[in-house]
């Protein structure tokens, strides 16, 4: 039979200060834990939003990100001969050969930062319908003009309409802003690809080639044709969304590992705090334990009563930590993405699995902190416990 | 002829302190009859509490048997002994041993949580017990809101709520002023005469011992 739960709850209410300190310790650890996971997940989510599921991105197999990939003109033309590439109304293929370079720009918060400048084809707005001009206009062909993503506008000095930015030995006028639904494109400048290649003397080729599939299900058919083409063996086609998701993996894995490493260390502190609290709780209630046992309550009822007490405290702390962490969703951050060598702006994002992991983590701290004290309480001999008064 | 409800047979008990054996009880035998009110007296350290604990099944003798209501409790395993205690023994302690975070009602209800009684039945039993000890109007008070005498009555209500075979009381008046002690003794006497409870009480208060029908004296672990 169980020792009533109200016994547990009133007991930690009766020692407010130690309970609050323990709860706060666990809340802090869970906050950091959840924040880290939310950060990594936010990066992933941003990168997943970057790609479309019916676009295919072709890059060099050995390339580490878009910047280090090269697709020369001949290969580009070979790609265009393959089947399953969607056509625009004018009959031209919906394809964008793109050149990606990284430029340095001054942040509003101080310091220089890397930003991606992407040369795109005119078809790009049909290819990526999530990208919309929200102010100003698109760049004109034949002009040194750029449009800036939403995060660039927010974070960098001089990113105002009509201002110029310098790169590739030339100055470029900002003629419009675009929004890309919180995706990685929001952290980029887009320019006419011919202009970019001209400025950087890279007329020889693109970084990557992206096109729309004629049917969302035709990727495997396209891939088969692609792999049968001997001239394209050093390239690899991927669904665009998958490509960008993979671009986020090294950064989000790094954050996860670092963050979990830090929180595991913190959690030792919080667990030991919970343990000290519970040892004190047991020491103060030895006679109560003896009395309960004399009345006929079993050792395991005593064990579970103290364990429940520790778990209740830690779950409560965990919930508070999680609640505070969930407020982070209203904040965004920017960070250097190792894969693109450029700044990526993203928001903290919460997922059901992060909620679950955080609660499990606090449950674990409660069990780890409460177990030994609870065992000590359960192992007391009745007569010794009763004499402890 | 045996209407003995308790038979303590050749019981010895020693404790181990470090690797030294400390004898506490030496070959004790007692019979307690059903409905008896037994007083155990003796100087401090003579083993009274130890003997009471053996009878109540919260400790085990080193040698000998303790038979209560026909059951040799020294043969029960820990789990069955716990179950046995919850059914047959009502405890009254010197310092009441109420749980401070529970109200009078909840303290008295505790032993009933180990039975299969429904919530409504438990309530009935608890209220009845608190009425018997004269605290029907204090059921939602916490122990710290009660006087010592009142706390001891709540403890007695907790001891009788399961209608146990035997009440064991270890110095039940030891921490009370004269008047409260008197009231508690009258209550115990009433439980014995009116409710036919068998009671074993340890005390070194001669005024308390007066209420007992039979008094045994213990000295250095031996009955005298
Ligand atoms: N759990 C125990 N461990 C060690 N020694 C004990 C224990 N319980 C009692 N004793 C010793 O046994 C002797 C008798 O104790 P007790 O039965 O409490 O005496 P009384 O109740 O008559 O004062 C004392 O010397 C006491 O120190
Ligand atoms: Mg004693």
């Amino acid at each position: 039979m169980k020792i009533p739960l109200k016994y547990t709850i009133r007991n930690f209410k009766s020692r407010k200060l130690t309970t609050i300190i323990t709860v706060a310790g666990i809340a802090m650890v869970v906050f950091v834990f959840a924040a880290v996971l939310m950060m990594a997940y936010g990066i992933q989510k941003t990168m997943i939003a970057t790609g479309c599921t019916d676009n295919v991105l072709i890059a060099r197999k050995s390339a580490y990100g878009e910047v280090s990939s090269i697709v020369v003109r001949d290969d580009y033309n070979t790609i265009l001969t393959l089947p399953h590439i969607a056509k625009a109304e004018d009959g031209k293929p919906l394809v964008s050969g793109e050149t990606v370079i990284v430029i340095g720009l001054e942040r509003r918060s101080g310091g220089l930062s890397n930003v991606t400048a992407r040369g795109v084809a005119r078809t790009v707005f049909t290819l990526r319908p999530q990208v919309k001009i929200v102010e100003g206009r698109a760049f004109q062909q034949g002009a040194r003009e750029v449009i800036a993503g939403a995060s660039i506008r927010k974070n960098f000095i001089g990113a105002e309409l009509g201002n110029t930015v310098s790169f590739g030995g030339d100055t470029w006028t900002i003629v419009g802003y675009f929004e890309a639904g919180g995706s990685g494109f929001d952290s980029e400048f887009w320019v006419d690809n011919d202009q970019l290649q001209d400025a950087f003397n890279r007329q020889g080729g693109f970084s990557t080639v992206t096109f729309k599939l004629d049917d969302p299900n035709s990727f495997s058919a396209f891939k088969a044709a692609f792999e049968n083409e001997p001239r394209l063996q050093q390239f690899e086609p991927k669904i665009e969304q998958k490509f960008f998701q993979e671009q986020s993996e090294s950064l989000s894995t790094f954050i996860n590992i670092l963050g979990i490493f830090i929180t595991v260390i913190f959690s030792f502190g919080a667990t030991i705090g919970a343990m000290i609290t519970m040892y004190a709780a047991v020491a103060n209630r030895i006679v109560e334990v003896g009395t309960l046992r004399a009345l006929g309550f079993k050792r395991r009822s005593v064990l579970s009563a103290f364990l429940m007490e520790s778990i209740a405290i830690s779950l409560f702390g965990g919930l508070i930590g999680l609640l505070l962490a969930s407020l982070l969703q209203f904040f965004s951050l920017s960070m250097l993405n190792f894969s693109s060598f450029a700044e990526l702006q993203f928001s903290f994002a919460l997922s059901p699995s992060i909620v679950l992991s955080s609660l499990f983590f606090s449950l674990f701290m409660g069990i780890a902190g409460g177990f030994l004290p609870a065992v000590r309480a359960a192992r007391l001999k009745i007569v010794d416990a009763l004499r402890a008064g | 002829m045996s209407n003995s409800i308790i038979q303590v047979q050749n019981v010895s008990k020693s404790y181990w302190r470090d690797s030294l054996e400390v004898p506490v009880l030496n070959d004790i035998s007692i019979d307690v009859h059903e409905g008896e009110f037994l007083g155990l007296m003796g100087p401090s350290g003579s083993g009274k509490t130890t003997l009471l604990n053996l009878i109540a099944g919260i400790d085990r003798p080193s040698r000998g048997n303790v038979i209560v209501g026909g059951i040799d409790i020294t043969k029960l395993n820990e789990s069955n002994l716990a179950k046995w205690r919850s059914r047959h023994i009502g405890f009254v302690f010197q310092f009441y041993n109420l749980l401070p975070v529970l109200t009078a009602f909840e303290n008295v209800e505790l032993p009933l949580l180990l039975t299969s009684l429904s919530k409504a039945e438990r309530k009935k039993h608890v209220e009845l017990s608190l009425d018997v000890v004269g605290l029907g109007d204090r059921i939602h008070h916490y122990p710290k809101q009660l006087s010592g005498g009142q706390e001891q009555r709540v403890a007695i209500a907790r001891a009788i709520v399961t209608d146990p075979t035997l009440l064991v009381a270890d110095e039940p008046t030891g921490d009370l002023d004269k008047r409260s002690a008197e009231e508690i003794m009258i209550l115990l006497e009433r439980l014995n005469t009116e409710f036919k409870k068998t009671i074993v009480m340890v005390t070194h208060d001669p005024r308390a011992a007066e209420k007992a029908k039979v008094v045994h004296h213990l000295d250095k672990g031996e009955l005298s």
Side-chain angles (χ1 to χ4, degrees), chain A residues 8 24 60 156 181 201 212 241 243 252 360 373 384:
Chain A
T8 299
R60 190 167 285 266
F156 291 90
N201 275 321
K212 193 165 284 297
Q241 183 179 75
F243 178 87
S252 62
F360 268 114
D384 293 338

Side-chain angles (χ1 to χ4, degrees), chain A residues 107-177:
Chain A
R107 298 180 60 86
R108 289 191 197 279
S109 53
L112 217 61
S113 208
N114 285 343
V115 170
T116 297
R118 182 183 296 272
V120 295
R122 288 240 93 191
T123 50
V124 77
F125 296 104
T126 326
L127 194 63
R128 300 192 179 112
Q130 79 272 30
V131 180
K132 299 208 169 60
I133 302 278
V134 290
E135 223 182 302
R137 54 170 175 83
F139 46 81
Q140 273 175 351
Q141 264 171 315
R144 296 285 209 241
E145 291 179 346
V146 302
I147 55 177
S151 309
I152 299 278
R153 173 187 197 175
K154 206 166 84 189
N155 292 330
F156 291 90
I157 293 175
E160 278 83 33
L161 277 190
N163 270 357
T164 55
V165 285
S166 303
F167 57 88
D170 223 330
T171 53
W172 306 68
T173 310
I174 302 174
V175 296
Y177 294 129

Side-chain angles (χ1 to χ4, degrees), chain B residues 101-116:
Chain B
V101 297
L102 300 184
T103 62
F105 182 97
E106 290 160 349
N107 266 291
V108 176
E109 191 188 22
L110 268 183
L112 295 179
L113 298 177
L114 296 164
T115 68
S116 55

